[in-house]
Amino acid sequence: MKKIPFLLALIFSAGTAFSNDFSLTTTLSSDFGEIGEYLFYSNSSPNIISYLEWEVLPQINLEIKADYKINKFDFGAEISTALPLACGKMYDSDYTPDNTKYNYSIGDNNIVFACKANLFAEYNFLTTNAFDFSAIAKLNYYYNHFERTGAYGWYGNPVYTGLPDYVSYDDPNAKFYKKLSGIEYEQHRVFLFTGFGGNWKINDSFELKGTFLFSPIAYTRSKDCHKNANNNTRTFSQDMETSFFDRFYTDLTASYRLNNKIKLNAGVFFLWGDLVRGPTYTSTIDGEDIYMKIDQDSGSDLFLGSVFAGCTILF
C-alpha cells in the first residue's frame, strides 16, 4: 500500500510534461451487495455448518485515479478509502447436517476500515471514427474490516432449549436473545483481471466506455473473530481460498467533456464470484504462528456493485 502514493506521484511528475496525456480523476462512489462467509462440516462435506452474510448497503468511497496515455498504451493507478459508517445488516445462520437452520441472528454491520487499490494497463488495438477497442490487464486489491453490533437472534441448539435434539430457529421452543456478542470480519482479496474494453465517441463532448474482465487467478484471505458476552476476544479463525477463472468484473461509464481540461463522469460496475473453498485455521489468541489447521473447509463468495460520479482534470 505504501508504494501506491509514490506511484501516483511518479506518474504525475512524468505526465505533466506531456500535454493532455495525463489526467487525475476524483470520484465519489457507493458500493452495494454482500460478502458470504462459509464453514463446512468437513473438508469433504458439501454440508454447511455456518453461513455469515455481510451486507454492503452502502459503502461510501472516496477515490482518486491517475492516468497516463502514451501512443496506444494507457497506464494508471487508483486508490480509495471508505467512510467508517454503518453499511446494512449481518446475518449469521447455523445448520445441522440435514440442513435445518437451528440458530439465526441479525445484527448491524459497521465498517471499521475499507480500502481498494489497483494498477491497470490498456492497449488500444483498434480505432475507428467512433469506436476504440482495447485489451486490458488489471491488478486489484480490496480490504474490508467489518464489525457486527446490536445483534439479536433465535437459538434452537439443545444447549439453549434443554431439548434432546436441535429444533429450527423459528420453532416455538427456540430461545430468543436480545443482546448477543460481537463479531469482526477482515478480508483481503487480490484479483488479476484481463479482458477487453470499448469506447464509443458519440460526439465531441459525450462518450460511453465499457469493460468486461475475468480473473485467471484470485486469492482471498479472511479472519473471523467471535467475542464473548463481555465483547472480549474468544476465538479466531482464518481461511484462504485460491480461485481460477471464476471472478468477473464489468463496468459502464458515461463521460461529458465540459472543455479541454475537465470531464464529468458517472457510471456503474459489478464484481461477482461463486463460492470458493479453502483450508481453515483456528486459535484462541490472535497470532500468525499459533493458528492450527482443522478438518473443516471454509469458503467465500461475493456480489458487489457500485454507482459512481466524478470529475477528470486533463493536464
Side-chain angles (χ1 to χ4, degrees):
M1 289 296 296
K2 294 181 179 179
K3 294 181 179 180
I4 299 297
F6 171 76
L7 178 60
L8 291 173
L10 181 62
I11 296 175
F12 178 81
S13 61
T16 51
F18 299 87
S19 176
N20 293 321
D21 291 327
F22 177 75
S23 65
L24 279 177
T25 301
T26 57
T27 301
L28 176 67
S29 66
S30 177
D31 294 354
F32 56 90
E34 63 184 41
I35 297 171
E37 177 190 0
Y38 297 79
L39 180 65
F40 293 84
Y41 270 93
S42 71
N43 292 345
S44 58
S45 174
N47 297 323
I48 297 168
I49 189 173
S50 177
Y51 171 57
L52 285 71
E53 178 185 349
W54 300 86
E55 280 189 341
V56 182
L57 287 173
Q59 176 177 304
I60 308 300
N61 307 292
L62 304 175
E63 307 173 6
I64 185 168
K65 180 176 75 171
D67 196 302
Y68 178 57
K69 296 180 180 180
I70 179 171
N71 297 324
K72 294 187 175 183
F73 291 93
D74 186 1
F75 302 98
E78 182 177 10
I79 56 173
S80 72
T81 187
L83 301 181
L85 303 172
C87 64
K89 298 292 184 180
M90 183 277 213
Y91 306 95
D92 187 356
S93 304
D94 295 326
Y95 297 87
T96 63
D98 64 0
N99 205 38
T100 297
K101 184 192 291 190
Y102 64 90
N103 290 342
Y104 182 53
S105 61
I106 303 171
D108 297 321
N109 188 20
N110 302 277
I111 298 171
V112 179
F113 181 71
C115 66
K116 308 174 192 177
N118 73 70
L119 302 173
F120 66 87
E122 299 184 19
Y123 175 72
N124 184 351
F125 62 86
L126 179 62
T127 299
T128 69
N129 290 334
F131 295 95
D132 294 330
F133 297 96
S134 300
I136 303 171
K138 295 182 71 174
L139 181 63
N140 286 28
Y141 170 76
Y142 296 82
Y143 173 77
N144 291 95
H145 182 180
F146 298 130
E147 182 177 17
R148 185 186 80 167
T149 59
Y152 56 91
W154 300 263
Y155 288 78
N157 189 317
V159 172
Y160 302 102
T161 64
L163 299 175
D165 296 312
Y166 290 85
V167 298
S168 175
Y169 76 95
D170 57 359
D171 187 279
N173 292 299
K175 300 299 182 182
F176 175 76
Y177 290 89
K178 191 172 183 180
K179 290 186 67 176
L180 301 177
S181 56
I183 302 175
E184 293 190 46
Y185 186 59
E186 296 180 63
Q187 188 179 74
H188 303 264
R189 302 190 303 272
V190 180
F191 304 97
L192 176 62
F193 280 115
T194 187
F196 298 95
N199 191 49
W200 179 24
K201 302 172 186 175
I202 299 174
N203 54 44
D204 290 340
S205 299
F206 189 69
E207 62 184 35
L208 288 174
K209 182 176 182 180
T211 65
F212 179 80
L213 309 175
F214 64 91
S215 179
I217 185 170
Y219 175 77
T220 301
R221 179 168 182 165
S222 306
K223 181 169 69 174
D224 178 295
C225 171
H226 278 60
K227 302 177 181 180
N228 61 17
N230 296 319
N231 269 338
N232 297 319
T233 298
R234 185 176 64 185
T235 56
F236 290 92
S237 65
Q238 289 199 44
D239 59 88
M240 287 154 276
E241 300 94 36
T242 302
S243 59
F244 304 94
F245 297 98
D246 62 0
R247 296 294 189 256
F248 302 94
Y249 173 94
T250 188
D251 66 29
L252 180 65
T253 304
S255 298
Y256 181 78
R257 185 185 289 266
L258 293 178
N259 52 48
N260 290 334
K261 295 297 182 182
I262 298 176
K263 289 197 304 182
L264 301 180
N265 314 295
V268 60
F269 81 73
F270 295 96
L271 169 65
W272 71 96
D274 292 332
L275 171 62
V276 178
R277 296 172 60 154
T280 307
Y281 303 80
T282 64
S283 175
T284 56
I285 304 174
D286 189 23
E288 295 296 328
D289 57 342
I290 58 174
Y291 279 82
M292 300 295 292
K293 186 177 180 180
I294 62 175
D295 184 30
Q296 288 179 270
D297 273 356
S298 294
S300 65
D301 61 9
L302 77 159
F303 174 81
L304 295 173
S306 184
V307 291
F308 56 86
C311 177
T312 299
I313 301 176
L314 305 169
F315 291 87

